Structures are given as C-alpha cells and as structure tokens.
C-alpha cells in the first residue's frame, strides 16, 4: 500500500467530518442576523465613538491622579480613550467593509447594556460603588443575559465583592463606597 492511499476507514471518517462541518456551517448561517452594508459599520462606529468620548469625559471628572497614585478615573479614562480611538479607526475604514449585520431587536440589548453602564458612572459618586455595581450585574445577567435568579444574585454579589477588594484594597483607588472594612 502506498503512503498516499487512504487507510481502510479513513475516507469514511473524512466524509463524516465534512458532513458535520457542512451541517454546522448551515446551522450558523440560519441563526445569523441579516447582513447589513457599510452604512451599518459607520453608524456603529459613530455610536461607539460617542460612548467612548462620553466615558472619557465622565472618567476625567472622577480625577485621573498619576501612574504612581492613580485616581478613580484613570483606568476608565484609558479604556474609554482606547474605545474612542478604535471607533475612529472603524469610522475611517468602515465605509469599505461589508461584513456588518443589520440592526435587529437584539441590537437593543447592546444599547441597554451601554445605558446601564452609563447609569453606573452617574450613580457611583452619589450612592457609592456597591449598590450600582450589584445592580449592574443583576441587570446584565438576569435581564440582558437571561440567567436564573440564583446564579444572577450569586455572581453579581461575588463580582461586586471581588471588584470592591481589588479597587479599594489591591489598587488603593479611593472609590466612593458605603461599606468600610
């Protein structure tokens, strides 16, 4: 038997693998939202650019501090500026791309997620870190993600506690907070 000839059963395994790959590709194509054009890329880039700039403006209001003594707004500012820069790049090249998806009802989930994140930024200086962070987790997990109430509450509280310890004690960022240890 030559080295290029298939071994017994190898051709059948290859056929099964090809059939499975084709079936998965069909299933993914059926679930995918309708395709949009370049205008969808531009609209998405503008929305993300506005969100990035608004996030940078809010973060700057919290105080940036320095790299040795970062203020509560330093890293949100850095991330927001990075988001704005990437959105500007997408805005520049987005007119030449055609792989965007049309906006559907599920696109509203992204807007709701962004709005709740902005609400976190607005509520943080008013009521502290703990309540807005836990509420954000609850909204994202239960209402936007469809998780069960049990996992929503456990994950939201555990995540809030982890970020509380990380920001206030690990990174020594003076976030406004209600609970002090």
């Amino acid at each position: 038997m030559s080295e290029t000839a298939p071994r017994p059963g190898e051709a059948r395994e290859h056929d099964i693998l090809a059939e499975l790959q084709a079936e998965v590709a069909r299933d993914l194509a059926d679930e995918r939202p309708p395709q949009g054009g370049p205008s969808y890329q531009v609209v998405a880039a503008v929305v993300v650019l506005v969100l990035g700039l608004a996030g940078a403006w809010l973060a700057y209001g919290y105080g940036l501090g320095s790299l040795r003594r970062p203020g509560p707004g330093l890293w949100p500012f850095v991330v927001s500026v990075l988001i704005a820069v990437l959105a500007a790049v997408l805005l520049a090249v987005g007119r030449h791309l055609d792989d965007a998806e049309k906006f559907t009802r599920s696109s509203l989930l992204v807007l709701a997620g962004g709005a709740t994140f902005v609400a976190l930024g607005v509520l943080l200086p008013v009521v502290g870190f703990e309540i807005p962070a836990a509420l954000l987790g609850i909204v994202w997990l239960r209402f936007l993600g469809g998780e069960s109430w049990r996992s929503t509450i456990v994950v939201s509280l555990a995540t809030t506690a982890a970020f509380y310890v990380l920001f206030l004690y690990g990174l020594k960022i003076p976030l406004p907070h209600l609970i002090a240890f």
Side-chain angles (χ1 to χ4, degrees):
M1 205 180 243
S2 73
E3 289 186 32
T4 58
R7 292 184 216 136
E10 188 175 313
R12 188 173 191 292
E13 289 175 14
H14 179 70
D15 291 342
I16 292 171
L17 180 60
E19 287 177 28
L20 286 173
Q21 288 173 336
E23 184 178 342
V24 168
R26 280 191 304 272
D27 289 344
L28 289 175
D30 290 343
E31 294 175 7
R32 192 162 189 199
Q35 203 168 14
S39 60
Y40 284 89
Q41 293 277 18
V42 172
V43 169
V46 168
V47 168
V48 172
L49 179 64
V50 168
L51 287 174
L53 293 174
W57 179 72
L58 285 171
Y60 184 78
Y62 291 133
L64 302 181
S66 67
L67 289 178
R68 289 187 183 263
R69 298 191 62 88
L74 179 63
W75 296 116
F77 180 80
V78 169
V79 171
S80 295
V81 168
L82 181 62
I83 288 170
V85 167
L86 291 174
V89 169
L90 181 60
L91 188 59
V93 299
R95 294 182 300 268
H96 308 294
L97 302 174
D98 61 354
D99 62 343
E101 298 171 352
K102 285 188 177 181
F103 295 116
T104 61
R105 291 193 70 183
S106 63
S107 303
L108 295 176
L109 295 176
V110 176
L111 292 176
T116 57
F117 199 68
V118 169
L120 169 83
V122 171
L123 289 174
L124 191 69
V126 177
V127 295
F129 171 77
E130 301 88 340
I131 293 172
L135 288 175
L136 180 76
I138 290 169
V139 168
W140 281 17
L141 290 169
R142 177 66 184 158
F143 301 110
L144 301 181
E147 294 293 328
S148 70
W149 276 110
R150 178 184 294 168
S151 65
T152 295
I153 290 172
V154 168
V155 171
S156 295
L157 294 179
T159 303
T160 299
F163 279 118
Y164 177 88
V165 170
L166 174 69
F167 289 142
L168 291 165
Y169 298 106
L171 298 173
K172 306 252 189 267
I173 296 174
L175 289 174
H177 56 281
L178 299 174
I179 303 169
F181 291 107

